[in-house]
Amino acid sequence: MTEEVIEEIHNKVRQYAKDKGYVLNVDEKQLSAILRGLARNLERFGAAYCPCRLRSGDPEKDKIIICPCIYHEQEIEEQGSCHCRLFFKKKSE
Ligand code: SF4
């Protein structure tokens, strides 16, 4: 897995978080594990599928778990973070 792919995903999710008013996991190790998982899926399967959800193997069905998945907004709203703990709700100041 190339560092460039990880960096590319990092930049993408950082920008996404900024646009949506989320923050990325502040734990460097956890963040790095999630980014690596996304990069691995991108390299292996052609899309950044969620590293903590099961793919069905059907690309049409699995579209919903390409990061950011269809579930994350509700999860962040209800639990404070998405299932993988990549995106977090910003703490109110
Ligand atoms: S749970 Fe989080 S990391 Fe996984 S796909 Fe959804 S938004 Fe991305």
Side-chain angles (χ1 to χ4, degrees):
M1 183 170 26
T2 55
E3 291 303 317
E4 289 85 72
V5 176
I6 298 172
E7 198 42 44
E8 192 186 306
I9 290 178
H10 195 178
N11 288 337
K12 248 184 168 170
V13 297
R14 192 192 287 121
Q15 186 59 48
Y16 181 78
K18 200 177 159 201
D19 292 345
K20 298 279 287 195
Y22 299 147
V23 286
L24 298 182
N25 194 323
V26 292
D27 183 307
E28 286 294 330
K29 273 192 181 161
Q30 287 180 19
L31 177 62
S32 159
I34 304 161
L35 294 175
R36 297 185 87 81
L38 288 166
R40 190 189 53 222
N41 284 343
L42 178 60
E43 288 196 337
R44 278 197 197 156
F45 307 112
Y49 294 110
C50 185
C52 41
R53 295 181 197 277
L54 280 179
R55 288 175 311 109
S56 72
D58 177 343
E60 203 46 50
K61 280 190 193 156
D62 290 339
K63 269 185 188 162
I64 59 171
I65 59 161
I66 294 173
C67 190
C69 63
I70 60 157
Y71 307 106
H72 74 290
E73 285 172 331
Q74 195 178 349
E75 289 171 341
I76 293 166
E77 198 44 50
E78 289 175 358
Q79 306 156 32
S81 71
C82 71
H83 185 51
C84 284
R85 299 173 65 79
L86 172 62
F87 298 115
F88 282 71
K89 202 189 259 183
K90 222 180 223 170
K91 294 212 177 73
S92 41
E93 279 136 36

